[in-house]
Amino acid sequence: MYWNDGGAGWWWIVPMIIVMVVVVGAVVWAVLANTQGSASGGHRPESTPEEVLAQRFAHGDIDSTEYHEKLDTLHDTRR
């Protein structure tokens, strides 16, 4: 007969609205955060030859002498 305590059962609407706003905001934020990273088509820019050479030197694939020789060669061919 008195299911909602005499009609005062509307109080739950306010927290439900707050929860819905938070959930919708989180979804919008997640979508925007994921799409902004791929705004340039999702392609990672290619590394320059100098960057590749520096990475190889940093990983220990080549020594200092070889690094400087190859770097000089790169700079000579770019002129």
Side-chain angles (χ1 to χ4, degrees):
M1 190 165 176
Y2 296 102
W3 285 24
N4 293 326
D5 296 328
W10 59 269
W11 62 269
W12 61 270
I13 293 174
V14 174
M16 186 61 77
I17 290 173
I18 292 171
V19 168
M20 288 301 293
V21 167
V22 169
V23 168
V24 169
V27 168
V28 168
W29 175 80
V31 168
L32 289 177
N34 285 331
T35 57
Q36 286 178 352
S38 63
S40 64
H43 298 291
R44 186 173 159 256
E46 294 185 25
S47 299
T48 64
E50 289 86 356
E51 291 172 340
V52 172
L53 189 60
Q55 288 173 356
R56 288 186 60 203
F57 179 60
H59 290 149
D61 296 338
I62 58 176
D63 62 358
S64 176
T65 306
E66 189 175 358
Y67 170 76
H68 289 291
E69 288 173 1
K70 291 183 184 294
L71 191 61
D72 289 341
T73 303
L74 280 173
H75 290 179
D76 287 341
T77 59
R78 290 190 174 220
R79 291 182 189 171

